[in-house]
Amino acid sequence: MSWTDERVETLKRMWSEGQSASQIAKELGGVTRNAVIGKVHRLGLSNRSGAEGAPAETAAPAAPAQAAPPVEPPRPAPAEEEAAAPSPAAPAPSDAPEEAADPEIVEAAEEEEAEPAAATGVVPLRRTIVPAGQPLPPQPSANEISPETLASVREVEKKARKISLMELTERTCKWPIGDPATDDFWFCGLPAQAGKPYCEAHVGVAFQPMSSRRDRRR
DNA sequence: CCCTGATTCGC
DNA sequence: GCGAATCAGG
């Protein structure tokens, strides 16, 4: 891979947006974060000037509606409401952005769809929760979390690392604990299961195998 | 441990 | 110019 004009452009943009070198490298592909950092220095833009503002250091202590741990700048926000359009999932972009607008934005927007809770600031209420919204379709009645797993969860909550929003990574359990409207709020933070957003215990309550009732038929 | 960016230096 | 290895931190 070489530093084509386009790639350099992406690099510059992301760097000024505050993205980390590793994230940029991941986005570009074919390069390591070292390569990115090296290039950044050669380009003489090690000093992140250009788009200062608030790098997102402190995430509102008691303000729930704030959430953007890693980075999530690409948020154009349509700001247009369809009054007579009862059709939800209908992007219906009358004008396709054919021009090489920002192919990156699309990727950035669709990356990491696994942790809506933290991203939206809406904390899943235990019991009614359906984190990633995928598994457990055939739930008989109310999700009956087995008392064992429920107990283990409480156990885990005690041992949780109690990490903050900014400390969440792709390898930390993102299970929210406590009331986000108070200081009594934190994230589990225990090592998450490979590929999943939660630790073993929380994956257990989040993704029910749809048949964990004690009636082990057979 | 995980992760940052900064620097060096052979290529 | 490039980037792996290394360094220096959080």
Side-chain angles (χ1 to χ4, degrees):
Chain A
M1 282 299 195
S2 60
W3 288 107
T4 62
D5 225 50
E6 199 180 321
R7 288 165 69 76
V8 171
E9 208 177 314
T10 299
L11 164 59
K12 286 181 178 176
R13 179 175 56 71
M14 293 183 77
W15 183 259
S16 64
E17 283 175 2
Q19 309 268 346
S20 71
S22 62
Q23 288 179 304
I24 296 173
K26 185 172 146 193
E27 166 70 34
L28 291 171
V31 290
T32 64
R33 75 184 195 87
N34 281 310
V36 170
I37 292 173
K39 186 61 179 176
V40 163
H41 279 240
R42 265 173 262 124
L43 288 172
L45 36 67
S46 49
N47 182 314
R48 269 171 185 186
S49 53
E52 73 310 305
E57 194 58 56
T58 309
Q66 271 290 43
V71 279
E72 204 169 351
R75 197 116 280 212
E80 277 297 309
E81 301 233 354
E82 301 301 335
S87 189
S94 54
D95 55 314
E98 46 171 359
E99 296 307 314
D102 286 85
E104 297 89 1
I105 283 186
V106 178
E107 296 180 67
E110 56 107 52
E111 93 171 349
E112 307 297 327
E113 81 274 84
E115 50 85 87
T120 61
V122 176
V123 177
L125 302 176
R126 251 153 290 190
R127 176 181 294 183
T128 309
I129 185 178
V130 179
Q134 276 162 33
L136 60 153
Q139 279 300 298
S141 42
N143 344 22
E144 293 177 30
I145 300 173
S146 69
E148 298 94 63
T149 53
L150 185 59
S152 76
V153 170
R154 301 207 140 169
E155 196 60 39
V156 172
E157 293 190 4
K158 294 175 185 173
K159 297 176 181 176
R161 289 178 55 208
K162 296 191 177 184
I163 63 174
S164 70
L165 190 57
M166 299 81 77
E167 297 176 293
L168 289 176
T169 74
E170 292 169 28
R171 291 188 184 68
T172 59
C173 178
K174 303 174 184 60
W175 190 271
I177 300 172
D179 188 336
T182 70
D183 293 347
D184 189 41
F185 180 66
W186 62 83
F187 289 92
C188 174
L190 290 173
Q193 295 259 280
K196 295 197 173 74
Y198 309 118
C199 64
E200 181 170 20
H202 288 135
V203 162
V205 293
F207 306 101
Q208 302 253 331
M210 82 179 180
S211 73
S212 57
R213 211 68 69 282
R214 47 167 165 292
D215 60 71
R216 72 285 186 211
R217 68 266 182 72
R218 190 185 308 182

